[in-house]
Amino acid sequence: MLRTRLFLYLTPFVVILLGGGVYSIVLFERLANTVDTSVTDSYQCFTAASAMSLALAGMDREVSWVLAGSRAGEKTNLMVYPKRNIDKRAFNANRRRFEENLDLLLKASTLPGEIVLSQQVATNYQAFLKAVNTISTLDFPENQRQVYEQEAVPNGQMINQMLEKIHDLNHKAILGTSQNIRVITREVTRLMLAGMVIALLISAYAGYQISRSILRPIQSLTRASRELGEGKLDQPVPVITRDELGELGLAFNKMAAQLQEYRQSTTEKIVRLHRTMETTLASFPDPIFVLDREGRIELKNPAADSLASSLQWEGQLPERLQAITRNTLDSGENFLPNSFEDAVTYRLNGDDKFFLPRVLAMRGKDDTLFGVAVVLYDVTRFRLVDAAKTDLVATVSHELKSPLTSVRMALHILLEKTVGLLTPKQDELLTAARNDTERLLRILNDLLDLARLEEGNAALRLESVAPAELLGVVMQEMVDKFSEKNLNVNCVVEPDLPAVPVDRQRIYHVFSNLVSNAIKHSPVDGEITLSAGPAADDCVEFSVTDQGPGIPDEYQTRIFERFFRVPGQAKTGAGLGLSIAREITLSHGGRIGVRSAAGQGATFFVVLKSTATPAG
């Protein structure tokens, strides 16, 4: 078997490497022990002896200095020189240094004769200390010099001689250890070189045998695999041996046969699937474009082909659709508009056609984006129906406004009692009727304003206004309503904000509506914050924050729809104020939105374009 042959080829090589490695480990262990027991101890004794010589010289210097002072006093025959004492601080410092190194020397002495020399150093050192103590107790200089010359000096000389011998012993030991290490190193080097030569010879032989028994079948298998990748499924691999390589060749031939059968069976399925996909796309009446990751059109249905031919789109979508498609390709998020404002208009056969584009991201099994599908829904009919509905609402509102105004006037005349007195019950009923009439007139006016804004017939008279001025006017107009609920109002305007081009009357209507809603939903003694700050693209963001019940997430996308009111709220209203505010903001080229969470208040914001010049 192939496994057995590989084992037999590589076993000698492994044995040689293992033997050489074990022998090297043993030699290095011996070398480490030699260095640790010999060089380390010898070096410690060597340095200790040197340090002791310096410390002894320092102690002798202190004693000599005392004797030198006494001699000077004798030569001058003056009694002005008092007896000098040994500087104990300097002497004791050298004494501690000597004794510390003496202890180290006694512990680390391992060489023959070194222990005896260390003990003699200790004995002479005690005699030296005794002589120094005697000198310190004598009063006459002559007696001090006599003790110094007869006892201290001889003991100090003996100590230096023995330290010199210890120094030489350890120096020779270190040199001997170095020589021993060189011998061991040469021995290891010779053995390793011999092992490497033998291992190389065995490796060359094993490599030659492996190339004959393994590489040739593998080369045949590689050549057959390359041909298989090129679609040549009828190229079998020759099976020469009965080992693992032979089994691999048999398995490869079996796989090639199965692939050939699979290709024959799946070709028809692929063709049928392709025809089904083309038929499915062709059945859609709306244009569908399939784009790749780079935004190039890869596939389109007949409706898309007809549209592209009529509008002369040469291989790519128009700029607006390209921008929407590129945003989806970059972000990976679908573009799913739900209003006619995102519709694109193209003129076909003399008529305007409205298409609502939807861009869907296409992903693979690993969630990798590989393209998008652009579906253009024909919303021309729905657009006309929506316009007709808006016209109907405007017409009905206008027709109802005149008679309702007459009813309102009659109710006011009756309540003023110019045509006669009223009973309390009549007065109550007329007052209720008048209030309902006023509410209906407000709703009709809002509907008319909304219709004009949606049709784009409301001309704007723009002028540059500072953000602080806008919020200041709104706060001044609402001061009475703030007082009714004892609300605390904060106005925060960041400095150096640019002016915004707005129609004062209409933009005040937006802010008044937002502030009125904040007052309506804020608790008594609550807080409302009006703020203005910079936004992206040289815009200014205005916001109104309250402490009301907030708006749940599922209703935030519908809060600006006409007649929509958040379910469960007891506050009254027709649901048109935010719709009108949205249309006015859009007519200024801005945007409006809300940030809120249930039970945490709400922040309505309006972003307006600026003149890019800081307001004074």
Side-chain angles (χ1 to χ4, degrees):
M1 299 298 288
L2 180 61
R3 184 182 304 172
T4 304
R5 281 190 289 166
L6 289 175
F7 178 76
L8 293 176
Y9 288 152
L10 298 178
T11 297
F13 181 70
V14 174
V15 170
I16 292 175
L17 290 180
L18 184 61
V22 172
Y23 183 69
S24 299
I25 292 174
V26 172
L27 289 179
F28 286 132
E29 184 68 22
R30 286 174 49 194
L31 183 62
N33 291 334
T34 301
V35 172
D36 186 48
T37 57
S38 178
V39 176
T40 303
D41 293 341
S42 298
Y43 180 74
Q44 289 179 346
C45 294
F46 183 87
T47 56
S50 300
M52 290 167 64
S53 297
L54 294 175
L56 181 64
M59 290 186 288
D60 184 72
R61 183 174 58 253
E62 296 299 327
V63 177
S64 301
W65 185 80
V66 172
L67 296 177
S70 300
R71 184 183 297 270
E74 290 176 358
K75 289 181 179 181
T76 56
N77 294 320
L78 297 175
M79 301 305 295
V80 295
Y81 293 97
K83 173 189 174 183
R84 289 189 177 184
N85 294 321
I86 298 174
D87 187 353
K88 291 184 178 182
R89 185 175 61 180
F91 184 86
N92 288 335
N94 287 290
R95 179 179 178 179
R96 284 194 302 272
R97 183 181 178 188
F98 186 92
E99 291 176 354
E100 290 174 356
N101 285 277
L102 178 61
D103 292 339
L104 177 62
L105 182 64
L106 291 172
K107 293 177 181 179
S109 298
T110 57
L111 299 176
E114 187 179 11
I115 298 176
V116 176
L117 291 173
S118 300
Q119 292 175 350
Q120 290 178 359
V121 170
T123 302
N124 286 280
Y125 174 65
Q126 295 298 327
F128 177 80
L129 288 180
K130 183 177 179 181
V132 172
N133 291 332
T134 302
I135 292 172
S136 299
T137 57
L138 296 177
D139 295 330
F140 296 100
E142 185 62 30
N143 294 334
Q144 289 178 333
R145 282 194 301 276
Q146 184 178 1
V147 172
Y148 174 75
E149 293 174 354
Q150 294 179 359
E151 297 183 14
V153 172
N155 284 294
Q157 292 175 349
M158 288 296 296
I159 291 172
N160 283 324
Q161 292 176 2
M162 286 180 283
L163 289 176
E164 184 66 25
K165 291 180 180 180
I166 293 172
H167 188 279
D168 294 339
L169 281 175
N170 286 282
H171 185 263
K172 292 178 181 179
I174 292 174
L175 293 178
T177 302
S178 176
Q179 182 66 26
N180 188 24
I181 291 173
R182 284 196 294 270
V183 172
I184 294 174
T185 303
R186 285 195 295 270
E187 181 180 355
V188 172
T189 302
R190 286 196 299 271
L191 289 175
M192 293 301 293
L193 288 174
M196 289 175 60
V197 171
I198 296 174
L200 287 174
L201 293 175
I202 294 176
S203 299
Y205 178 76
Y208 174 73
Q209 293 296 331
I210 289 174
S211 64
R212 289 187 59 189
S213 59
I214 298 177
L215 293 183
R216 288 181 181 177
I218 291 178
Q219 290 173 353
S220 299
L221 184 62
T222 302
R223 184 168 52 255
S225 299
R226 189 179 300 111
E227 293 176 351
L228 181 66
E230 295 174 354
K232 300 177 182 178
L233 302 180
D234 55 350
Q235 301 294 326
V237 175
V239 180
I240 303 175
T241 61
R242 295 183 179 181
D243 53 12
E244 288 85 352
L245 290 175
E247 294 177 359
L248 179 61
L250 291 174
F252 183 86
N253 292 334
K254 184 178 180 180
M255 179 192 68
Q258 291 177 347
L259 285 175
Q260 189 171 8
E261 294 178 1
Y262 177 77
R263 183 171 67 176
Q264 293 175 354
S265 62
T266 57
T267 300
E268 295 180 359
K269 293 182 180 179
I270 294 174
V271 173
R272 186 168 58 252
L273 179 61
H274 183 71
R275 291 176 179 174
T276 302
M277 183 181 64
E278 288 183 342
T279 304
T280 302
L281 288 177
S283 64
F284 282 92
D286 296 314
I288 300 177
F289 298 87
V290 178
L291 282 67
D292 62 9
R293 190 67 180 83
E294 303 301 326
R296 295 184 294 266
I297 298 176
E298 285 190 335
L299 185 65
K300 53 189 174 182
N301 65 347
D305 192 24
S306 176
L307 178 65
S309 299
S310 301
L311 299 177
Q312 297 180 354
W313 294 349
E314 298 179 357
Q316 59 182 3
L317 298 177
E319 292 184 3
R320 183 174 177 185
L321 294 179
Q322 283 186 24
I324 299 174
T325 303
R326 176 53 54 189
N327 184 54
T328 301
L329 288 172
D330 293 339
S331 63
E333 298 179 357
N334 297 331
F335 178 73
L336 305 173
N338 52 14
S339 67
F340 294 136
E341 295 176 1
D342 296 309
V344 293
T345 307
Y346 301 111
R347 192 164 186 82
L348 296 173
N349 301 323
D351 296 325
D352 289 334
K353 291 288 186 178
F354 296 90
F355 295 94
L356 190 63
R358 304 189 73 183
V359 183
L360 307 176
M362 298 186 299
R363 301 181 182 275
K365 292 183 178 181
D366 56 351
D367 201 37
T368 302
L369 183 69
F370 64 86
V372 294
V374 180
V375 183
L376 300 179
Y377 290 97
D378 189 350
V379 294
T380 305
R381 178 171 171 272
F382 300 105
R383 180 72 178 240
L384 295 175
V385 171
D386 184 71
K389 180 189 66 175
T390 302
D391 293 340
L392 178 62
V393 170
T395 302
V396 172
S397 300
H398 186 271
E399 293 298 328
L400 289 176
K401 185 175 181 181
S402 297
L404 194 58
T405 302
S406 300
V407 173
R408 172 175 171 271
M409 185 178 300
L411 291 173
H412 275 280
I413 293 173
L414 290 174
L415 287 172
E416 290 174 359
K417 302 175 183 178
T418 56
V419 295
L421 297 177
L422 299 174
T423 63
K425 188 64 176 177
Q426 291 172 338
D427 187 271
E428 180 181 352
L429 292 174
L430 290 174
T431 301
R434 182 192 62 184
N435 293 338
D436 289 340
T437 303
E438 296 286 352
R439 187 171 65 85
L440 287 174
L441 278 173
R442 285 197 299 271
I443 293 174
L444 290 176
N445 288 328
D446 288 343
L447 286 173
L448 289 172
D449 288 341
L450 188 59
R452 284 193 295 268
L453 290 170
E454 289 181 344
E455 292 177 358
N457 296 330
L460 299 178
R461 291 180 292 181
L462 300 179
E463 56 180 306
S464 296
V465 183
E469 181 182 351
L470 286 177
L471 295 184
V473 173
V474 174
M475 289 187 63
Q476 186 176 2
E477 291 180 352
M478 295 292 179
V479 65
D480 293 336
K481 293 184 178 181
F482 293 144
S483 301
E484 290 177 3
K485 299 184 70 172
N486 196 24
L487 296 174
N488 182 24
V489 183
N490 297 321
C491 184
V492 181
V493 180
E494 295 193 18
D496 300 329
L497 288 178
V500 290
V502 294
D503 185 319
R504 285 178 181 266
Q505 182 179 358
R506 295 188 181 278
I507 209 65
Y508 285 153
H509 181 85
V510 174
F511 292 144
S512 298
N513 182 272
L514 297 181
V515 175
S516 298
N517 286 340
I519 295 172
K520 184 188 303 183
H521 295 286
S522 293
V524 178
D525 298 329
E527 182 176 305
I528 295 177
T529 302
L530 282 70
S531 63
D537 300 327
D538 292 328
C539 294
V540 178
E541 179 178 311
F542 300 86
S543 62
V544 179
T545 304
D546 60 50
Q547 295 178 337
I551 303 171
D553 293 341
E554 60 268 26
Y555 300 126
Q556 291 182 17
T557 57
R558 301 186 57 195
I559 195 68
F560 296 99
E561 294 180 5
R562 285 176 290 182
F563 305 109
F564 179 80
R565 296 178 65 248
V566 177
Q569 289 189 357
K571 305 298 182 181
T572 61
L576 291 173
L578 289 178
S579 298
I580 295 175
R582 176 177 177 271
E583 294 299 330
I584 294 175
T585 303
L586 292 178
S587 66
H588 281 78
R591 55 188 175 89
I592 188 171
V594 61
R595 292 186 287 265
S596 179
Q600 299 181 11
T603 298
F604 285 86
F605 62 89
V606 175
V607 179
L608 298 175
K609 296 180 180 179
S610 70
T611 58
T613 303

